[in-house]
Amino acid sequence: MSLLACPDEGVTASPAFAPERIEACVRLVRHHAHIVADPTGRELGLVMGPRPAVGLVGTLPPLYPEWLGGRTFCEAHGVRFPYVAGEMANGIATTRMVVAMARAEMLGFFGAGGLGFPEVERAVQELAAELAGMPNWGVNLIHSPSEPGLEHRVAKLLLHHAVPCVSVSAYMELTPAVVLCSAAGLRRGPDGRIERRTRVFAKVSRPEVAAHFLSPAPPGLLRRLVESGELSEEEAALAALVPVAEDLTVESDSGGHTDNRPLGVLLPRILLLREELSRRFGYTRAVRVGAAGGLGTPDAVAAAFALGAAYVVTGSVNQVALEAGISDDAKELLAGADIADVTMAPAADMFELGVKLQVLRRGTLFAQRAGHLYAAYQAHASLEELPAQLRAKLERDVFGAPIDDVWARTRRFWQQRDPAEVDRAERDPRHRMALVFRWYLGNSSRWAITGDATRRSDYQIWCGPAMGAFNRWTAGSFLADRDNRSVVQIGLNLLEGAAVVTRAHQLRTFGVPVPSSAFVFTPCPLA
């Protein structure tokens, strides 16, 4: 696949000293940039193309978008570009998106989080058939504290279908499912090095969580998996010698589950931890550390690579892509967001734990209404204890139905998905209340996905500030047109722009008077 940016005009051997000509040269990242001095020696400019005979101060080699990250990342995963489309849950990161990314020599993860087992199974079977033999695709495994059985079934499904990459997210500690994905299929290669059958990516936003994935699997969990017959003794022995994950995605201020940490603080901290634990355990291969969260413009992507990221992962911005599994109505709301149009709200999957996620605020009342539900859950022990006035308000403004009807629907759902939840709810009134409240939280995401106009004010749309930055960057450009917003075009433009921004910074450090406009890359068709 060739990557051709907006035409390489202006390649010339004549020196460029005027700001507009310097800006044009900055964009020619695939050419040698020769820094030259004028005859007085006081002014620096650029010559593109052949090496000048006189006045040469220094030379920058060509720069390609695929060179911005870690070369070992591309080699390990069989990709050309160090770029990943992340696993937006409930299937918003669709199989179509994963296939498009794989064929464009990038990497994409199917958003399995929040889906039932049959839906995940269908998606995995489709991808395994469509991308047979290709190493650069994967599926998400999300921590499900309220459904550990489902989590483990999904892990075994991914192994059964030989899914090459698994991105594990929302974990605070390791579970048998994660360790199984990491350790199953470990073996010694002909050269004696440990080879992995499944490459685990771990999303982390805290050093203490990162330490779990940067360390070998705990002996206790390995022993349990051996005793259950899910791992061999040899696999467990090898798992004690390697980290649980060899790709660690540092997630900063992102949509969905997030700790809202700034990337400039979090990524360097995790990189230092990586070095410390690599020395402690004597690893022979370095863990690759990537960056996610807040990456909606070329400047942000360039900054992530400059901080030391081996790869970048985008999420929020891909929801406006043609392949995204979300309604046009929701995409329209996302397209109108600015950087401050997001807020935190209770998460459906970890409601009882008080965990929150970042969502779109503008155009929807979801966050406010979900907050009312969590306040009621904290203040009362059961649905029966809800004051009549509060109950009526929730039924009218949040559920749009009597609470008894909502429980009946909730009960039917869990009776099919996990009957143990129904048994627990009938023994524990507080858990029954949580399930009823989670009915709203879970359905609000599905209403946004299907575009249910009657529940538009209840749309739950996972979104970080990157969406607003993306909207401002693409305004009036090629990518402002919804029909041009393929996940691949978004990715290629972010990478191309990051290369231009990186080249501009390099030249500025040499003392070239790079105009500020040279740091702005306007999206254009890339092929």
Side-chain angles (χ1 to χ4, degrees):
M1 176 183 179
S2 63
L3 184 63
L4 297 176
C6 309
D8 281 358
E9 298 172 355
V11 179
T12 174
S14 62
F17 291 99
E20 63 274 10
R21 290 200 60 208
I22 290 176
E23 178 179 342
C25 290
V26 167
R27 302 188 186 286
L28 305 178
V29 295
R30 292 169 181 76
H31 298 273
H32 284 88
H34 305 289
I35 301 158
V36 295
D38 70 354
T40 69
R42 292 194 298 267
E43 191 174 352
L44 295 181
L46 294 174
V47 170
M48 310 303 292
R51 180 187 178 97
V54 295
L56 182 66
V57 174
T59 297
L60 288 177
L63 174 63
Y64 288 79
E66 47 264 59
W67 295 353
L68 291 172
R71 303 293 177 91
T72 57
F73 176 84
C74 296
E75 293 166 0
H77 301 295
V79 294
R80 178 177 173 183
F81 302 100
Y83 184 93
V84 179
E87 62 273 19
M88 296 172 288
N90 278 347
I92 295 174
T94 59
T95 56
R96 183 183 169 202
M97 184 177 289
V98 175
V99 169
M101 290 294 289
R103 290 180 175 161
E105 299 180 90
M106 294 186 264
L107 182 74
F109 286 100
F110 174 72
L115 299 179
F117 185 82
E119 296 167 287
V120 178
E121 186 175 37
R122 282 194 296 272
V124 170
Q125 290 172 343
E126 177 186 338
L127 289 169
E130 186 79 16
L131 300 175
M134 296 184 69
N136 56 325
W137 64 276
V139 176
N140 172 228
L141 177 68
I142 194 167
H143 182 38
S144 305
S146 61
E147 298 179 87
L150 174 63
E151 180 185 324
H152 206 80
R153 280 185 75 196
V154 170
K156 296 184 76 169
L157 172 74
L158 304 184
L159 293 172
H160 175 73
H161 288 280
V163 174
C165 299
V166 175
S167 180
V168 300
S169 58
Y171 285 86
M172 297 300 292
E173 57 185 23
L174 299 179
T175 67
V178 169
V179 173
L180 180 61
C181 285
S182 173
L186 288 177
R187 64 187 182 89
R188 293 274 185 189
D191 60 358
R193 294 171 61 120
I194 298 174
E195 296 179 350
R196 291 184 182 271
R197 187 175 71 193
T198 306
R199 286 163 274 136
V200 172
F201 286 65
K203 269 190 175 178
V204 300
S205 56
R206 300 182 185 185
E208 63 271 21
V209 177
H212 292 313
F213 291 99
L214 289 167
S215 303
L221 282 179
L222 291 171
R223 187 165 51 252
R224 283 172 54 188
L225 291 167
V226 170
E227 290 172 354
S228 67
E230 294 171 282
L231 283 183
S232 69
E233 293 282 0
E234 180 185 6
E235 288 169 334
L238 294 176
L241 304 175
V242 294
V244 172
E246 286 192 1
D247 292 278
L248 199 71
T249 303
V250 177
E251 190 172 40
S252 58
D253 195 9
S254 64
H257 288 288
T258 181
D259 285 324
N260 307 107
R261 299 287 183 264
L263 188 64
V265 173
L266 187 60
L267 183 58
R269 174 70 181 88
I270 301 299
L271 288 170
L272 284 174
L273 181 64
R274 187 260 312 264
E275 297 309 306
E276 174 191 330
L277 293 180
S278 292
R279 287 193 300 270
R280 180 189 304 176
F281 295 112
Y283 298 143
T284 57
R285 287 196 299 265
V287 174
R288 298 169 291 269
V289 178
L295 306 183
T297 63
D299 317 67
V301 172
F305 285 127
L307 283 168
Y311 60 96
V312 293
V313 180
T314 55
S316 296
V317 300
N318 294 328
Q319 291 187 99
V320 297
L322 294 169
E323 300 89 349
I326 196 167
S327 67
D328 288 344
D329 196 21
K331 289 180 182 180
E332 198 67 34
L333 289 175
L334 284 164
D338 211 332
I339 60 172
D341 292 331
V342 294
T343 190
M344 300 299 291
D349 55 348
M350 300 183 187
F351 179 79
E352 293 95 324
L353 301 176
V355 173
K356 293 187 175 183
L357 37 66
Q358 191 157 222
V359 297
L360 183 67
R361 176 179 56 83
R362 182 174 179 172
T364 169
L365 296 173
F366 165 75
Q368 178 183 339
R369 290 171 174 172
H372 291 328
L373 290 177
Y374 189 68
Y377 176 76
Q378 287 184 303
H380 304 285
S382 68
L383 293 171
E384 290 70 26
E385 287 189 15
L386 294 176
Q389 187 175 359
L390 174 60
R391 186 183 180 105
K393 179 178 175 62
L394 295 178
E395 291 179 334
R396 182 186 68 246
D397 298 339
V398 180
F399 296 116
I403 283 179
D404 289 343
D405 288 355
V406 175
W407 166 240
R409 299 177 204 174
T410 303
R411 191 181 189 284
R412 284 195 296 272
F413 171 83
W414 285 108
Q415 196 66 52
Q416 293 180 351
R417 179 151 167 165
D418 185 357
E421 287 292 312
V422 177
D423 295 340
R424 180 184 169 193
E426 290 177 342
R427 295 192 308 271
D428 180 356
R430 186 170 174 79
H431 185 60
R432 183 163 67 96
M433 177 169 58
L435 291 184
V436 168
F437 290 175
R438 284 170 56 190
W439 174 91
Y440 172 78
L441 301 179
N443 277 290
S444 58
S445 173
R446 293 179 178 86
W447 293 327
I449 289 171
T450 60
D452 186 343
T454 66
R455 303 304 299 248
R456 194 172 195 265
S457 62
D458 295 298
Y459 283 1
Q460 177 185 178
I461 303 173
W462 302 306
C463 178
M467 192 71 246
F470 176 86
N471 289 334
R472 301 290 77 76
W473 168 53
T474 58
S477 77
F478 160 77
L479 283 179
D481 186 338
R482 181 186 298 175
D483 292 338
N484 294 331
R485 288 181 164 181
S486 72
V487 67
V488 171
Q489 281 296 323
I490 290 172
L492 293 181
N493 271 274
L494 285 171
L495 287 172
E496 183 76 13
V500 171
V501 171
T502 300
R503 170 59 66 85
H505 279 293
Q506 291 172 336
L507 290 168
R508 187 170 66 174
T509 63
F510 271 83
V512 177
V514 180
S516 59
S517 54
F519 290 83
V520 180
F521 174 81
T522 300
C524 58
L526 299 173

